[in-house]
Amino acid sequence: MSVVPRAGNGKITVPDLLQRKSSGVAFQFNSASHFPSRSQKITCLTAYDYPTARLLDEAGVDVLLVGDSLGMVVLGHESTLPVSIEEMLHHTRAVRRGTHRALVVADMPYGSYHGDIAESLRNAMRFVKDAGAEAVKLEGGERRLELIVRLTEAEIPVMGHVGLTPQSVNTLGGYRVQGKTVDGAEQLLRDARAVEAAGAFAVVLEAVPRELAAHITRELRIPTIGIGAGPDCDGQILVMHDLLGLTFGPTPKFARRYANVGEIISKAAREYCEDVRRGTFPSDAESYHEAQTAKDEKEAPVNSDGDW
């Protein structure tokens, strides 16, 4: 299932996002405040299925990331590490079918790009050829330089990801803010520069001090997408389940909840169960009836309202 980006009609493409950065549309430095001024930022959310992708796309989200976070918020794992490439391909296909305007980016899961370069390249090609992704995202900075170069040479757009990289949770010792020390900040800047130099079109900065994220954003020619990195990046991304209140337990400090869909679902389910137990669902109006005449039976095989 290869996909040709549909230029025009508001379709978001990789060159569009790069143009926002180079033209200053998404990043305008304010010398008075030493931070970028507010302008047209890049909006990104995660999506994992057709209906969600369609709703987010129609709402005007610029980038839909099929994140390996699905392992935690959809599949119930404690980390992203167990997610397989087949699971990611499955969910990417669903998101692709629901998306017309947004750029669809797929996370490469743990283990799919940690072997040799040739295998990693084949795996990335599957996301583009088989699942319809328009770009892939992978975690890591300097150590991913050669891989990013090879992917971009193969015409596969790459979004980088530095700072807190969830696939490195065991190495990092947990989900911790990165770049708080001088050495850590310098390493993060090197990582971001390496991702850019290798040919990535954007980079996610996760769990990074605001000041450092702003500095990296000023230094790079490619867009920065923040998650827990303050408001000064070129764009922002959140896990959709955090935004909608569909998570269990505490959420990260940076995750703003815009709705409590979890409570809406629970309330609807409770009311449904109550109606079934009381015998008030289904009602007579929600039931099919026998045909009263031969003419009814001929003209309405199911009922007078149609096949359903």
Side-chain angles (χ1 to χ4, degrees):
M1 176 182 172
S2 61
V3 173
V4 178
R6 298 166 292 282
N9 298 321
K11 169 63 185 160
I12 303 296
T13 65
V14 166
D16 290 334
L17 299 183
L18 288 169
Q19 180 62 27
R20 288 197 197 183
K21 177 80 172 193
S22 63
S23 67
V25 172
F27 176 85
Q28 298 172 354
F29 183 68
N30 186 329
S31 58
S33 66
H34 302 289
F35 290 117
S37 63
R38 183 173 299 174
S39 56
Q40 184 182 350
K41 302 281 190 172
I42 299 168
T43 58
C44 315
L45 285 171
T46 62
Y48 313 103
D49 54 45
Y50 170 84
T52 301
R54 182 166 175 172
L55 290 170
L56 299 181
D57 187 55
E58 292 174 354
V61 179
D62 295 324
V63 178
L64 295 184
L65 172 66
V66 188
D68 60 357
S69 50
L70 74 87
M72 303 174 73
V73 299
V74 175
L75 302 180
H77 295 300
E78 293 185 356
S79 73
T80 64
L81 299 180
V83 178
S84 70
I85 189 169
E86 297 302 329
E87 289 169 332
M88 289 300 303
L89 289 167
H90 170 82
H91 286 271
T92 302
R93 292 185 188 103
V95 169
R96 172 74 273 170
R97 288 190 288 268
T99 307
H100 295 283
R101 174 188 174 274
L103 183 77
V104 176
V105 181
D107 255 339
M108 294 190 69
Y110 179 72
S112 68
Y113 60 98
H114 298 75
D116 62 70
I117 297 291
E119 179 188 19
S120 301
L121 182 57
R122 285 192 296 270
N123 288 336
M125 285 180 173
R126 293 187 66 191
F127 280 100
V128 177
K129 289 174 64 69
D130 300 340
E134 295 163 300
V136 298
K137 182 172 77 66
L138 49 86
E139 298 179 3
E142 289 181 320
R143 65 184 184 276
R144 304 293 177 224
L145 196 152
E146 181 182 359
L147 175 56
I148 295 174
V149 168
R150 290 292 300 277
L151 292 176
T152 55
E153 286 176 348
E155 314 298 342
I156 301 174
V158 176
M159 177 181 285
H161 185 155
V162 301
L164 171 57
T165 48
Q167 293 175 8
S168 306
V169 60
N170 292 328
T171 301
L172 297 175
Y175 300 104
R176 305 173 185 276
V177 177
Q178 302 297 302
K180 297 186 74 172
T181 66
V182 173
D183 289 344
E186 290 177 350
Q187 181 61 56
L188 262 176
L189 181 57
R190 288 196 298 270
D191 284 337
R193 284 173 170 164
V195 166
E196 177 186 64
F201 72 90
V203 59
V204 172
L205 305 178
E206 180 167 359
V208 174
R210 170 182 177 170
E211 297 80 7
L212 176 58
H215 177 65
I216 293 173
T217 300
R218 292 194 298 269
E219 289 286 320
L220 299 188
R221 298 183 304 277
I222 60 174
T224 58
I225 309 298
I227 178 167
D232 308 304
C233 297
D234 299 304
Q236 297 290 329
I237 186 166
L238 280 178
V239 172
M240 187 263 303
H241 287 61
D242 289 337
L243 177 141
L244 294 180
L246 277 172
T247 54
F248 303 92
T251 55
K253 173 183 178 179
F254 56 78
R256 181 182 297 180
R257 177 178 292 182
Y258 285 82
N260 195 348
V261 176
E263 178 55 34
I264 294 173
I265 292 173
S266 296
K267 181 175 182 292
R270 289 193 298 268
E271 291 178 0
Y272 164 76
C273 292
E274 183 178 348
D275 287 350
V276 170
R277 290 165 184 151
R278 291 189 307 184
T280 59
F281 176 82
S283 66
D284 184 70
E286 294 161 329
S287 303
Y288 297 114
H289 299 85
E290 292 181 349
Q292 299 300 310
T293 67
K295 183 175 181 293
D296 289 341
E297 185 174 358
K298 180 180 179 180
E299 293 183 354
V302 177
N303 65 19
S304 58
D305 296 324
D307 290 344
W308 293 100

